[in-house]
């Protein structure tokens, strides 16, 4: 049996924090960056389910509405579901990655810059970096307001 401390919402939040640390660190490979981006989006979106299903949070009936108030989390939902199911999932914002550009820096500590452009259903574009930053901050705002983190 898995210990309760490993199965509560906090375990998923801790995973999200580790995913965030991976996706914002200097990267050495564009393939690893894209993997880290997928993991972050999945961990980010699925935190909602862990909070919803953990009776300790008291948020089972409100968390769905709460997260949908944040555009960054709706974009994360599209990217998480799209990468999980191998399709362009358009339920939330119609977001999908439309381009990935890689710049190599030979002989430097930061050998690769990767820029992922995300296009939304309305045609506007944003960067994966800004979605990651905003989604992580928005989760911390939600958790702080709910009294789950200090």
């Amino acid at each position: 049996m898995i210990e309760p401390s490993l199965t509560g919402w906090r375990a998923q939040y801790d995973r999200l924090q580790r995913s965030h640390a991976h996706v914002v660190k200097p990267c050495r490979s564009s393939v690893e960056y894209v993997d880290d981006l997928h993991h972050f989006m999945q961990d980010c979106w699925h935190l909602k389910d862990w909070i919803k299903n953990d009776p300790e949070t008291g948020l089972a009936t409100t968390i769905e509405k709460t997260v949908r108030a944040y555009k960054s989390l709706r974009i994360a939902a599209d990217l998480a579901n799209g990468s999980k199911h191998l399709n362009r999932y358009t339920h939330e914002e119609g977001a999908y990655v439309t381009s990935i550009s890689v710049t190599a820096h030979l002989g430097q500590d930061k050998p690769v810059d990767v820029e992922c452009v995300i296009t939304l259903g309305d045609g506007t574009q944003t960067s994966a970096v800004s979605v990651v930053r905003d989604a992580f901050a928005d989760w911390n705002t939600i958790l702080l307001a709910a009294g789950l983190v200090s």
Side-chain angles (χ1 to χ4, degrees):
M1 181 164 158
I2 297 176
E3 288 187 39
S5 65
L6 298 177
T7 59
W9 76 271
R10 186 63 196 220
Q12 182 64 18
Y13 178 63
D14 291 344
R15 235 181 323 278
L16 173 62
Q17 290 180 307
R18 289 189 300 274
S19 290
H20 181 259
H22 281 282
V23 81
V24 299
K25 74 177 183 196
C27 64
R28 302 197 173 284
S29 159
S30 59
V31 173
E32 285 181 20
Y33 177 80
V34 172
D35 285 350
D36 290 342
L37 183 62
H38 285 306
H39 286 286
F40 174 82
M41 295 300 173
Q42 291 172 7
D43 290 341
C44 182
W45 184 239
H46 294 133
L47 178 56
K48 148 193 86 67
D49 297 321
W50 284 68
I51 290 171
K52 182 178 177 180
N53 292 313
D54 186 339
E56 298 294 318
T57 67
L59 300 174
T61 60
T62 61
I63 195 63
E64 293 278 351
K65 183 177 179 181
T66 301
V67 298
R68 282 182 167 77
Y70 293 86
K71 187 174 187 173
S72 68
L73 299 179
R74 295 191 308 267
I75 294 170
D78 287 348
L79 298 177
N81 287 314
S83 67
K84 180 179 174 185
H85 299 292
L86 187 61
N87 67 12
R88 184 174 151 200
Y89 187 79
T90 59
H91 182 69
E92 301 291 332
E93 289 290 326
Y96 59 103
V97 175
T98 50
S99 71
I100 300 172
S101 61
V102 180
T103 304
H105 305 282
L106 301 175
Q108 296 183 13
D109 289 338
K110 184 180 180 187
V112 178
D113 285 325
V114 181
E115 182 180 343
C116 292
V117 175
I118 298 167
T119 300
L120 307 183
D122 65 5
T124 60
Q125 295 184 326
T126 188
S127 70
V129 170
S130 63
V131 172
V132 166
R133 180 191 63 235
D134 294 347
F136 191 70
D138 290 343
W139 262 123
N140 285 311
T141 298
I142 291 167
L143 297 174
L144 187 63
L148 295 176
V149 297
S150 52

